[in-house]
Amino acid sequence: MNKSYITTPIYYVNASPHLGHAHTTVMADILKRARQMQGVDVWLTTGTDEHGQKNQEAAEKSGLTTQQYLDRRSAEFQALFDRLGVDYDYFVRTTRPQHKEGVQHFEKILNDKGLIIQKPYRGLYCTGCEQFKKESDLTPDGRCPDHPTLEIEWTDEINYFLQIEPYRDALRAYIDAHPDWITPDIYANGVRAMLEEPLEDLCISRPKSRVALGVEIPFDDAYVTYVWFDALINYITNVGWPDPQYREWWPHCEHLIGKDIVKTHCIYWPIMLMAADVEQPYRISVHGHWVGAGGQKMSKTLGNVVDPIEVIDKYGASALRFYLARHMRAGSDSQISLDLLHQTYTSELANKFGNLLMRCLVFCGTHFNGAVPEVAELHPDEAKLVDAISRDIAAALKDLELGGIPAATLSLVQATGTLNDAITALAPWTRIKNPDERARVASIMYALLECLRVVAEGFSPFIPEASAKALKMLGAPAPASGADAQEPAKRRLAGGTPFGSIEPLFPRVDQ
Ligand code: MSP
């Protein structure tokens, strides 16, 4: 891989951003940073989905003009991602003219090919999902399983539709021919199962009389585009489509999505692309959902909502990013609460990594003038330790994929554990009392500091802020990237380099 275009879903602005939104965008940032370390050229987009009925209703309730409302909410998402240290290259807003023109162009192509029909639609609609529902999609009491507090609406209106059933076989064949296209397998299998049944026509419009917030249908000004149809197209308009330059990034595109939006991304979107003769994205990577401790869905009523801003204020962005990276399980829901987050922060970041770093820096502050010890040659035991840690961390970060993020963070924690065991076994504080052992203590401390540097660099995609601080304290050179980063055996701390100013990396937080 030498190029990677990573996308997140674009988020509805009907309410403030929540933990789930933070999750996908942070995972995208982690993949971006890890891939950049390997010399991959990366383009990352995230942003807001600003059309449709539920955004319109939220804007109406806000007392602001629609534009003011959208600007304010979109800025909230951008501010959250900025605080989380997300290095996005483009922040999408679907209300921008360039995107809207792209959507209309897409619709014209389909209409000119005769693929769009007009017909009445009668059916059930969930504004939470912004999707039509079948009776069989609902709970026994007639509610949407994902939005049980919302009323399902009865809709009866004339709309435009894309016939998608004619593409079902082609999509099945594509999935069979590209077994890694949708990952993990559990979701690919779910998509295969959905494709066993004939596909109903996809409604692509809403009458303006009901929903005005949307992209006008280019061939009928009484209608706007259905929000999902418009939103999905962001993935190509962001990179310039229909200008042929979009091909610079598009074939390298990986969509990161939560399990709630598999059908739209793995069925509707690929068929839309087939219909418009645009090639498929490179990959669709799916993650499970965060739920509260005990497996309950987070809700204000249960009081188990984890607010990302609150967590960042109290523990810092690194603590939240680390928890999200460390504990998302592949293919199923994962639990989060302030207690769980506190435990991970304290036991893995503060006590394991932060403490060890501090102990080593303070020890060398006292015995080696506050600088990296100068060592002609490492003792074989320490040379072995440095090589093993360097190899493990390089392996953990190599070709990182969404599903591999938790295991990579576990490797970092395990490496930190190994270093804590090493310092206990090597006992530099005992040896330093014997002047004959000074050279060995220098070897031990150099090795520990160099390993801490390797681990701190390994942490950089996950917790860039804390990693940069640790590297600065260690007096480390700028992190290696590209070919250099593929060379784990290289020792990069220079003996005699003074440490940066020392401060607690993960300060103690009272629960
Ligand atoms: N606007 C659509 C997406 C259009 S993409 C072309 C949408 N928006 S959303 O605001 O509802 O965001 C859904 C996404 O937020 C999920 O797919 C997932 O990425 C993230 N999450 C929402 N809740 C989540 C959890 N509880 N846990 C983890 N991520 C979740 O759907």
Side-chain angles (χ1 to χ4, degrees), residues 8-14 18-21 23-24 49 54 77 128 227-228 231-235 256-261 265 287-291 298 328:
T8 76
I10 49 174
Y11 307 109
Y12 290 128
V13 289
N14 63 312
H18 60 60
L19 185 88
H21 304 135
H23 180 76
T24 316
D49 184 350
K54 73 172 167 181
F77 279 82
V227 61
W228 264 107
L232 288 161
I233 296 172
N234 96 86
Y235 297 132
L256 306 189
I257 59 168
K259 65 172 188 178
D260 52 326
I261 55 178
H265 282 77
H287 62 73
H289 272 188
W290 289 105
V291 291
M298 281 185 261
M328 174 52 77

Side-chain angles (χ1 to χ4, degrees), residues 136-153:
S136 58
D137 295 330
L138 305 180
T139 60
D141 57 347
R143 292 186 174 263
C144 168
D146 289 337
H147 303 97
T149 56
L150 296 180
E151 294 295 328
I152 290 288
E153 294 177 8

Side-chain angles (χ1 to χ4, degrees), residues 300-321:
K300 291 212 174 89
T301 338
L302 289 172
N304 62 351
V305 174
V306 176
D307 174 14
I309 295 285
E310 225 176 272
V311 175
I312 299 170
D313 285 344
K314 197 163 170 189
Y315 292 88
S318 291
L320 179 57
R321 289 177 62 113

Side-chain angles (χ1 to χ4, degrees), residues 15 20 26 28 34 78 98 122 151 156 185 187 194 207 209 242 275 287 290 420 426 442 480:
V26 165
Q78 198 163 354
Q98 179 256 353
R122 282 175 209 96
E151 294 295 328
D156 184 352
D185 280 349
Y187 298 110
M194 288 182 225
S209 55
H287 62 73
W290 289 105
N420 274 290
L426 295 164

Side-chain angles (χ1 to χ4, degrees), residues 406-426:
T409 55
L410 176 62
S411 300
L412 288 160
V413 172
Q414 283 170 339
T416 316
T418 305
L419 296 179
N420 274 290
D421 293 347
I423 197 170
T424 308
L426 295 164

